[in-house]
């Protein structure tokens, strides 16, 4: 009918608007599709429902595909093909109804069911053939990691970019109460009312929406936002129904429902009153039994419930009952007022907190003074006022929207995470060596913005940056998908070798930590905020050629010639860098020719056993360090040999001959094993207390039970068993502290004692208690 067409078209237009402004339109589209399926399963499929859904899908999809970023995804992506399948099923249902009417020999539900089976069987066969032909061409797009994460048992998706976002973790009970408050308790009551008393075509959507929103919010905390509207509606149902009942008890049904309800109620009252005062004759049936018999109902359930209903009816209509119900109603209204005001105040308080800009906050200084920290906005304003309009800012993607919106400058990556490979390149710049990062950055940006100052700054997020980079550029963390080798490796906050050499660490800690200096030939710090939360560097040696190439409109790819949706391309100078990337394959991307199962397996193994992954990373770093040390020693040895041979060449020939003769004889294991250190050498090392890279590395290996690596180290350099840190503790103290008997034995065999004391007067044995 006209009403169905009107609401269907209006819904389609609303769907188009949402697709144009919010990626969450996929949820809305699927929610309406699910509701259409539920209506069919409940036996509520009708011409009215068919017309409304058909108009919604046709109008909405036709308009949505006109949006460049959406394109044909409603007809290709598995995330959106569900509503399309429902649309097809609805057409087939309507077709069977038309055939049934025209044939005229379809009588009863059984005949209609058989007709539907025939129509659906033929249609599904044709659809299966079409899918079989289209699937190998890559026509169908897979589920994204975010969607996949909503249905897997674990909280990780296999995509390090998605896994790095805290909002993608499951919601906690505290989160529900924080954002919904009393609605957590009232909405389920409204759901029960809807399901058991007021279920129809329209209200069934509330049930579908409520269940789906709760399921998804339980999987991902950011989706609690979906619970807001439905919780409000269901709470309104509960409060409205209870409120109307209370009003009816206070003012009477005539005031609330009209005179007909009052007459009916009075009649019921009179009947009940009369029945209670009249004395029944012997063998006369009870009023309820007479009514049941007249209605033809003799079920056991009705016979049992009839006395209860009569008792409730009499209680409501008696003067005492009305007084009690009135008091109950007043008490309920009082509770509504008290809790309603609390809810009102909480909502305004929370809305004010959520509306305030998160980039400005209060903090307490070391001397106890409360200050307003406005570093972030200050940095964005500095960019706006002190950089050219065409300046490009390199920063981690989290702050992209803020740089664009507040600083009014182009950012290399904004808060949109759809381009995994691009963000991985950004991660490679930040977590790779300083020199390598600069070589890439000079072709993409003019300035670098770094969040510092501790807390959730860029360095705290750095391990995630490395994982994302490694997911595309596998040489970043070879054999370690979770990049445990990038980060702080001990309790003293000592960075790993990979982190200490990184672009990000150099710019973040430049001048803050002793010995950390950003290369002045590559970067110049141009601004530092008041409290050091943001640092801005100018990139030196920016490639003008690459900047001009990127800005040239001829090098942009537009969806249509002269269109407004045009994406840029990387400058040719980065082609060698980009050739080393491996496009990230989603776990569920069945269109991918090559699977990445080994990477995914190692990724999940490391996530599930982080200690094992960290131990592996520590051992790898230790081996690399020892290899580097041996290489240095070899170079030094060769240099020494070279100088010896040059000095010997000036000696008489007979001496050279003797030397040559003696050198041909084998020297027993001179190059195989280090000479055992002398007591004086041991005393010198053992009595030197200082924090060095060697003591830090030794502590790491012992704390991670790297017995084999320690054995290799001591064989190559026996005196390392006697090193001690600034607090006077050494390998023996740490071995006892971590109760590692194997390492204790290694150290004792090397000659290390266990009765010496550290600066606190503790022996290694004391550390075991």
């Amino acid at each position: 009918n006209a009403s169905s067409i009107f609401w269907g078209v209006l819904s389609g237009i609303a769907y188009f608007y949402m697709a144009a402004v919010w990626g969450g339109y996929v949820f809305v589209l699927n929610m309406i599709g699910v509701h259409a399926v539920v209506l069919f399963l409940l036996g509520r499929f009708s011409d009215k429902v068919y017309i409304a859904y058909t108009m919604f899908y046709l109008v909405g999809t036709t308009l949505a595909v006109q949006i460049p970023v959406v394109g044909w995804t409603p007809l290709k992506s598995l995330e959106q093909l569900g509503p399309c399948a429902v649309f097809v099923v609805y057409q087939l249902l309507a077709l069977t109804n038309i055939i049934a009417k025209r044939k005229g020999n379809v009588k009863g539900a059984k005949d209609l069911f058989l007709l539907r089976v025939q129509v659906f069987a033929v249609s599904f066969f044709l659809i299966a053939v079409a899918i079989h032909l289209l699937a190998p061409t890559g026509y169908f797009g897979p589920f994204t990691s975010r969607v996949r994460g909503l249905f897997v048992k674990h909280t990780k998706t296999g995509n390090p970019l998605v896994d790095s976002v805290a909002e993608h973790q499951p919601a906690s009970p505290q989160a529900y109460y924080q954002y919904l408050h009393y609605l957590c308790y009232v909405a389920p009551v409204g759901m029960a009312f809807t399901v058991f008393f007021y279920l129809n075509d329209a209200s069934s959507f509330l049930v579908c929406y409520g269940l789906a929103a709760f399921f998804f919010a339980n999987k991902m905390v950011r989706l609690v936002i979906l619970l807001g509207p439905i919780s409000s509606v269901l709470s309104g149902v509960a409060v409205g129904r209870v409120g109307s009942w209370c009003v009816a008890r206070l003012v009477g049904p005539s005031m609330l429902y009209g005179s007909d309800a009052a007459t009916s109620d009075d009649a019921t009252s009179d009947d009940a009153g009369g029945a209670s005062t009249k004395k029944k004759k012997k063998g006369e049936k009870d009023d309820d039994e007479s009514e049941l018999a007249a209605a033809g109902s003799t079920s056991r359930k009705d016979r049992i419930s009839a006395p209860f209903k009569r008792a409730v009816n009499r209680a409501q209509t008696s003067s005492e009952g009305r007084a009690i119900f009135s008091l109950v109603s007043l008490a309920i209204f009082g509770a509504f007022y008290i809790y309603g005001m609390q809810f009102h105040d909480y909502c305004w308080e929370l809305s004010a907190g959520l509306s305030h800009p998160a980039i400005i906050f209060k903090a307490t200084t070391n001397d106890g003074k409360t200050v307003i920290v406005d570093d972030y906005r200050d940095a964005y304003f500095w960019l706006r006022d002190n950089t050219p309009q065409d300046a490009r800012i390199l920063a981690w993607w989290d702050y992209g929207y803020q740089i664009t919106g507040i600083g009014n400058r182009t950012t290399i990556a904004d808060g949109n995470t759809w381009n995994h490979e691009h963000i991985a390149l950004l991660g490679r710049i930040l977590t790779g060596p300083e020199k390598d990062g600069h070589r890439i950055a000079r072709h993409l940006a003019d300035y670098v913005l770094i969040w510092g100052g501790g807390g959730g700054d860029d360095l705290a997020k750095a391990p995630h940056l490395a994982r994302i980079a490694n997911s595309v550029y596998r040489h970043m963390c070879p054999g370690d998908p979770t990049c445990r080798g990038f980060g702080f490796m001990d309790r003293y906050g000592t960075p790993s070798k990979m982190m200490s050499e990184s672009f990000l660490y150099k710019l973040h800690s430049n001048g803050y930590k002793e010995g950390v200096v950003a290369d002045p030939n590559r970067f110049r710090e141009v601004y530092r905020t008041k409290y050091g939360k943001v640092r801005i560097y100018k990139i030196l040696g920016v490639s003008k050629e690459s900047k001009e190439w990127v800005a040239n409109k001829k090098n942009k790819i537009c969806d249509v010639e002269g269109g407004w949706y045009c994406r840029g391309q990387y400058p040719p100078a980065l082609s060698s860098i980009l050739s080393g990337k491996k496009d990230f394959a989603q776990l569920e991307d069945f269109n991918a020719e090559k699977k990445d199962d080994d990477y995914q397996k190692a990724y999940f193994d490391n996530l599930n056993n982080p200690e094992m992954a960290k131990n592996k990373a520590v051992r790898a770093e230790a081996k690399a360090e020892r290899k580097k040390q041996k290489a240095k020693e070899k170079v030094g040895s060769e240099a020494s040999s070279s100088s010896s041979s040059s000095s010997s060449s000036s000696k008489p020939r007979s001496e050279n001959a003797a030397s040559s003769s003696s050198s041909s004889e084998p020297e027993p294991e001179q190059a195989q094993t280090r000479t055992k250190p002398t007591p004086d050498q041991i005393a010198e090392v053992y009595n030197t207390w200082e924090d060095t890279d060697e003591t830090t590395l030794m502590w790491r290996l012992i704390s991670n039970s790297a017995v084999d690596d320690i054995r290799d180290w001591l064989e190559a350099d026996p005196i390392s068993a006697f090193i001690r840190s600034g607090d006077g503790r050494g390998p023996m103290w740490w071995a006892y502290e971590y109760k590692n008997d194997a390492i204790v034995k290694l150290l004792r065999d090397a000659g290390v004692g266990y009765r010496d004391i550290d600066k606190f007067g503790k022996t290694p044995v004391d550390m075991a208690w």
Side-chain angles (χ1 to χ4, degrees):
N1 54 36
S3 176
S4 300
I5 296 175
F6 172 76
W7 288 112
V9 171
L10 194 62
S11 298
I13 295 173
Y15 161 48
F16 161 70
Y17 173 76
M18 180 163 286
V21 299
W22 186 41
Y25 77 92
V26 176
F27 172 81
V28 178
L29 173 63
N30 281 279
M31 197 66 260
I32 295 177
V34 168
H35 180 227
V37 172
V38 169
L39 288 177
F40 170 71
L41 296 177
L42 293 176
R44 292 180 173 273
F45 176 79
S46 63
D47 291 343
K48 178 179 69 173
V49 173
Y50 164 74
I51 293 173
Y53 185 80
T54 298
M55 297 307 300
F56 155 76
Y57 190 80
L58 287 177
V59 172
T61 304
T62 302
L63 293 175
V65 297
Q66 308 305 317
I67 303 170
V69 294
V70 175
W72 292 100
T73 53
L75 301 176
K76 298 175 68 174
S77 172
L78 290 182
E79 296 173 6
Q80 302 179 49
L81 282 177
C84 179
V86 175
F87 174 78
V88 172
V89 169
Y90 263 41
Q91 305 315 305
L92 295 178
L93 289 173
L95 177 63
T96 55
N97 290 344
I98 294 173
I99 294 174
K101 289 179 180 178
R102 289 186 177 180
K103 290 180 67 174
N105 60 351
V106 178
K107 298 179 181 179
K110 183 177 179 181
D111 292 343
L112 181 61
F113 174 77
L114 293 175
L115 177 61
R116 285 178 174 175
V117 169
Q118 295 172 4
V119 172
F120 274 78
V122 174
S123 302
F124 284 168
F125 173 77
L126 296 176
I127 292 172
V129 172
I131 293 175
H132 178 74
L133 296 175
L134 289 174
T137 67
Y139 174 85
F140 299 106
F143 290 106
T144 63
S145 288
R146 286 187 182 84
V147 173
R148 179 180 177 276
L150 298 174
F151 297 97
V152 293
K153 291 183 179 179
H154 48 75
T155 60
K156 301 298 181 182
T157 67
N159 184 327
L161 176 55
V162 175
D163 294 341
S164 68
V165 183
E167 294 174 345
H168 294 161
Q169 305 307 309
S172 64
Q174 293 76 14
Y176 289 116
Y177 190 79
Q178 177 186 358
Y179 295 113
L180 301 177
H181 202 242
Y182 289 144
L183 299 190
C184 291
Y185 310 114
V186 182
V189 178
M191 174 73 81
F193 280 176
T194 303
V195 171
F196 296 109
F197 302 108
Y198 309 105
L199 190 66
N200 53 44
D201 288 358
S203 63
S204 59
F205 179 77
L206 301 182
V207 178
C208 296
Y209 182 8
L211 294 176
F214 175 76
F215 173 80
F216 291 127
N218 191 48
K219 289 286 187 176
M220 193 179 291
V221 66
R222 71 184 300 177
L223 296 182
V224 170
I225 190 174
L226 298 176
L227 275 175
I230 188 60
S231 296
S232 300
V233 172
L234 291 175
S235 297
V237 170
V239 173
R241 295 297 180 181
V242 173
S244 64
W245 181 87
C246 292
V247 171
R249 304 286 79 75
L250 291 172
V251 303
S254 59
M255 294 291 292
L256 192 62
Y257 304 114
S259 57
D260 293 341
T263 304
S264 175
D265 190 67
D266 291 341
T268 304
S269 175
D270 293 340
D271 292 342
S276 63
T277 55
K278 292 179 182 177
K279 195 172 183 179
K280 298 181 182 65
K281 297 180 181 178
K282 186 176 181 180
E284 186 178 355
K285 288 186 177 181
D286 187 76
D287 293 343
D288 294 302
E289 294 180 3
S290 301
E291 293 175 6
L292 290 171
S297 176
T298 57
S299 69
R300 177 181 177 84
K301 178 180 177 182
D302 290 338
R303 289 198 302 271
I304 294 175
S305 62
F308 174 76
K309 291 179 179 179
R310 183 179 61 184
V312 171
N313 187 49
R314 288 178 178 176
Q316 289 181 352
T317 54
S318 66
S319 57
E320 296 86 354
R322 286 177 175 172
I324 293 173
F325 280 117
S326 296
L327 291 175
V328 171
S329 300
L330 290 174
I332 292 174
F333 277 126
F336 278 176
Y337 177 78
I338 294 172
Y339 290 110
M341 291 303 297
Q342 291 178 0
F343 180 70
H344 174 273
D345 295 342
Y346 181 85
C347 286
W348 279 106
E349 181 181 346
L350 183 64
S351 66
L354 294 176
S355 300
H356 287 169
I359 59 175
I360 304 175
F361 59 92
K362 289 183 179 180
T364 304
T365 60
N366 293 332
D367 58 2
K369 182 180 178 181
T370 300
V371 296
I372 300 294
V373 179
D374 192 15
D375 281 26
Y376 304 112
R377 190 180 62 158
D378 181 36
Y380 302 143
F381 281 172
W382 187 92
L383 287 174
R384 182 193 64 188
D385 300 333
N386 297 277
T387 61
Q389 289 190 355
D390 65 345
R392 302 159 299 170
I393 315 302
L394 188 151
W396 188 233
W397 66 268
D398 289 10
Y399 335 121
Y401 286 149
Q402 295 175 1
I403 293 171
T404 302
I406 303 175
N408 195 28
R409 290 295 178 267
T410 299
T411 181
I412 298 303
D414 58 22
N416 191 332
T417 59
W418 65 271
N419 193 332
H420 184 109
E421 286 70 28
H422 179 63
I423 293 178
L425 178 62
L426 179 57
R428 173 178 175 175
I429 295 172
L430 293 171
T431 59
E434 180 186 21
K435 182 190 255 185
D436 294 348
H438 176 267
R439 287 176 175 172
I440 303 174
R442 64 185 290 267
H443 294 286
L444 296 174
D446 303 291
Y447 293 86
V448 180
L449 183 144
I450 301 292
W451 271 27
D457 65 7
D458 283 342
L459 212 55
K461 303 171 185 174
H464 289 295
L465 277 60
R467 292 178 194 176
I468 295 167
N470 185 69
S471 67
V472 174
Y473 299 93
R474 300 294 169 83
H475 71 279
M476 298 292 292
C477 306
D480 181 18
T482 53
C483 290
R484 298 291 176 180
F486 188 99
F488 297 107
M489 304 304 289
D490 58 33
R491 54 188 171 183
Y492 304 116
T494 305
S496 66
K497 180 176 176 58
M498 182 180 175
M499 174 182 268
S500 65
E501 296 176 349
S502 69
F503 178 106
L504 174 60
Y505 185 79
K506 292 292 183 68
L507 270 59
H508 175 280
S509 302
N510 175 36
Y512 281 163
K513 292 190 177 182
E514 187 178 354
V516 181
V517 180
D519 188 343
N521 296 317
R522 301 179 185 279
F523 306 99
R524 184 176 76 247
E525 186 173 8
V526 292
Y527 191 67
R528 185 186 306 183
T529 55
K530 183 177 180 179
Y531 297 105
K533 292 291 185 182
V534 182
R535 306 179 75 171
I536 300 175
Y537 292 85
K538 180 172 178 56
I539 300 175
L540 303 181
V542 171
S543 172
K544 292 183 179 179
E545 182 181 353
S546 292
K547 186 172 183 177
E548 291 173 357
W549 190 93
V550 170
N552 191 334
K553 292 184 178 179
K554 294 181 179 179
N555 297 321
K556 297 183 183 296
I557 302 175
C558 301
D559 59 328
V560 294
E561 187 175 353
W564 59 269
Y565 180 68
C566 302
R567 60 183 179 87
Q569 298 187 79
Y570 293 111
L574 292 180
S575 58
S576 60
I577 300 294
L578 299 173
S579 64
K581 72 183 178 73
K582 178 182 176 66
D583 289 347
F584 185 76
Q586 304 284 355
L587 279 176
E588 54 288 323
D589 190 352
F590 48 80
N591 290 323
E593 294 181 3
K594 295 182 179 179
K595 299 297 182 181
D596 209 0
D597 296 336
D598 292 340
Y599 169 85
Q600 293 291 346
K601 183 179 184 304
Y603 179 83
F604 280 114
D605 286 345
N606 286 9
L607 283 181
N608 295 330
N609 194 342
E611 285 302 319
M612 178 199 72
K614 187 175 181 181
N615 291 349
K616 185 178 178 182
V618 169
R619 293 174 184 178
E621 183 174 345
K623 288 181 179 178
E625 195 66 28
R626 291 199 305 275
K627 187 176 180 181
K628 186 177 179 182
Q629 186 176 356
K630 287 180 180 179
K632 286 182 179 180
E633 292 173 356
K634 184 178 180 181
V635 171
S637 175
E638 290 175 352
S640 176
S641 300
S642 176
S643 80
S644 297
S645 59
S646 354
S647 63
S648 65
S649 63
S650 62
K651 294 182 181 180
R653 181 175 178 80
S654 59
E655 224 174 284
N656 283 340
S659 174
S660 174
S661 174
S662 64
S663 65
S664 64
E665 296 179 4
E667 297 180 6
E669 299 184 354
Q670 181 177 349
Q672 302 299 324
T673 308
R674 279 288 191 91
T675 306
K676 187 175 181 180
T678 65
D680 290 341
Q681 291 174 329
I682 292 175
E684 182 182 354
V685 172
Y686 202 59
N687 293 324
T688 301
W689 297 4
E690 61 179 345
D691 294 324
T692 65
D693 291 342
E694 284 187 330
T695 57
T696 299
L697 182 57
M698 181 64 78
W699 178 86
R700 279 191 231 155
L701 293 174
I702 294 174
S703 63
N704 287 283
S705 301
V707 180
D708 293 337
D709 293 317
I710 295 173
R711 181 184 293 109
D712 293 342
W713 188 359
L714 296 183
E715 287 177 358
D717 189 11
I719 203 168
S720 297
F722 299 92
I723 59 176
R724 298 174 76 175
S725 61
D727 58 6
R729 295 176 183 173
M732 188 64 83
W733 277 264
W734 301 325
Y736 271 101
E737 180 183 1
Y738 288 97
K739 300 178 177 59
N740 196 311
D741 295 336
I743 298 178
V744 169
K745 187 176 185 305
L746 278 177
L747 295 171
R748 292 190 65 177
D749 290 344
V752 183
Y754 58 89
R755 293 179 180 176
D756 298 305
I757 60 173
D758 61 14
K759 66 184 276 188
F760 305 106
K762 289 187 175 183
T763 67
V765 178
D766 294 333
M767 302 297 292
W769 302 96

